[in-house]
Amino acid sequence: EIVLTQSPATLSLSPGDRATLSCRASQSVGSYLAWYQQKPGQAPRLLIYDASNRATGIPARFSGSGSGADFTLTISSLEPEDFAVYYCQHRSNWLLITFGQGTRLEIK
Amino acid sequence: QVQLQQWGAGLLKPSETLSLTCAVSGGSFSGYYWTWIRQTPGEGLEWIGEIHHSGSTNYNPSLKSRLTISVDTSKKQFSLKLNSVTAADTAVYYCARGNGIRFTNGVSFPKDFDFWGQGTLVTVSS
């Protein structure tokens, strides 16, 4: 079973800063990695699929990169609404889906 | 814009059956997998299972013996039933649309989930 490890657990930044979030897989997942944003009381929102493709309606300040086992979600200039929890996710097959434990992005 | 609206009982006693329904609007129902995912503070996000509009299903092996996911294409709805619930089934339950079909060993499945319902808190307590 693939394990996704996200770092850091918490990231404290200010609006306008650049945010870099990491997701490391225990083995190669190719480019099959997605990123989600979740705000309190809301469902997760798909940001990035296939490691680097922005989902419909996602602002250009969000970008994803990486392949194999190391992936990065970058937010180029933080807006107040970007402070949330971010999850990475990979699906190995029709039975196995893995989510990372999340990175909390908080206002410094 | 695709929207998913879900509903169902929020408070159950141990051994009862959890039942949730999700209605899809604003987009095509055909050609997609429709999924249930739950979230707890301790375990995080857990995939429960999914159903294709054609009726084929994929279930989480750890829940399979208690789980039924069904679809009503005429109403653009799909439903979750989980039998014999315990406190461990207490969670926020989400319905979602599967995005990006892959195939492995001849079995199809969505890679990720692009539209989600609002979530339903289900509490199991005596």
Side-chain angles (χ1 to χ4, degrees):
Chain A
E1 180 180 341
I2 292 174
V3 176
L4 298 178
T5 301
Q6 292 187 240
S7 62
T10 303
L11 184 58
S12 299
L13 294 170
S14 301
D17 287 348
R18 181 184 185 88
T20 303
L21 288 68
S22 174
C23 178
R24 177 163 292 178
S26 57
Q27 59 186 275
S28 176
V29 299
S31 294
Y32 295 123
L33 190 98
W35 288 94
Y36 299 85
Q37 175 194 67
Q38 187 176 31
K39 298 179 181 179
Q42 296 184 16
R45 173 194 182 196
L46 180 66
L47 299 175
I48 301 288
Y49 64 94
D50 291 347
S52 60
N53 295 293
R54 272 190 302 276
T56 303
I58 301 304
R61 65 180 181 274
F62 291 91
S63 63
S65 62
S67 65
D70 286 300
F71 299 86
T72 301
L73 174 69
T74 301
I75 310 171
S76 59
S77 179
L78 285 166
E79 297 288 341
E81 63 266 28
D82 297 337
F83 292 92
V85 179
Y86 292 83
Y87 296 96
C88 56
Q89 174 252 315
H90 168 71
R91 187 158 190 177
S92 306
N93 58 46
W94 65 98
L95 295 178
L96 283 176
I97 295 178
T98 304
F99 289 91
Q101 82 281 13
T103 290
R104 181 177 305 277
L105 179 56
E106 64 177 26
I107 300 176
K108 187 173 182 179
Chain B
Q1 178 78 333
V2 176
Q3 292 188 320
L4 283 72
Q5 180 75 28
Q6 59 182 100
W7 65 90
L11 181 60
L12 297 172
K13 291 181 167 50
S15 80
E16 291 185 337
T17 296
L18 184 159
S19 182
L20 298 173
T21 298
C22 185
V24 179
S25 61
S28 175
F29 194 77
S30 298
Y32 290 96
Y33 274 93
W34 301 97
T35 303
W36 291 97
I37 292 168
R38 67 185 182 181
Q39 185 174 30
T40 62
E43 299 298 319
L45 290 157
E46 179 183 27
W47 172 73
I48 297 170
E50 65 211 0
I51 189 163
H52 191 257
H53 85 276
S54 63
S56 64
T57 55
N58 298 320
Y59 289 167
N60 185 322
S62 69
L63 299 170
K64 185 175 182 178
S65 64
R66 299 190 289 132
L67 182 61
T68 302
I69 297 176
S70 59
V71 66
D72 185 338
T73 55
S74 66
K75 293 182 178 180
K76 297 176 70 174
Q77 294 178 2
F78 62 107
S79 298
L80 164 71
K81 288 189 187 302
L82 184 66
N83 300 328
S84 304
V85 297
T86 70
D89 295 310
T90 294
V92 177
Y93 286 74
Y94 294 103
C95 57
R97 189 180 82 167
N99 175 60
I101 301 296
R102 285 183 63 195
F103 287 84
T104 300
N105 294 345
V107 180
S108 67
F109 54 93
K111 292 179 291 179
D112 39 62
F113 311 101
D114 57 357
F115 292 97
W116 295 61
Q118 78 277 19
T120 300
L121 173 60
V122 176
T123 302
V124 181
S125 174
S126 56

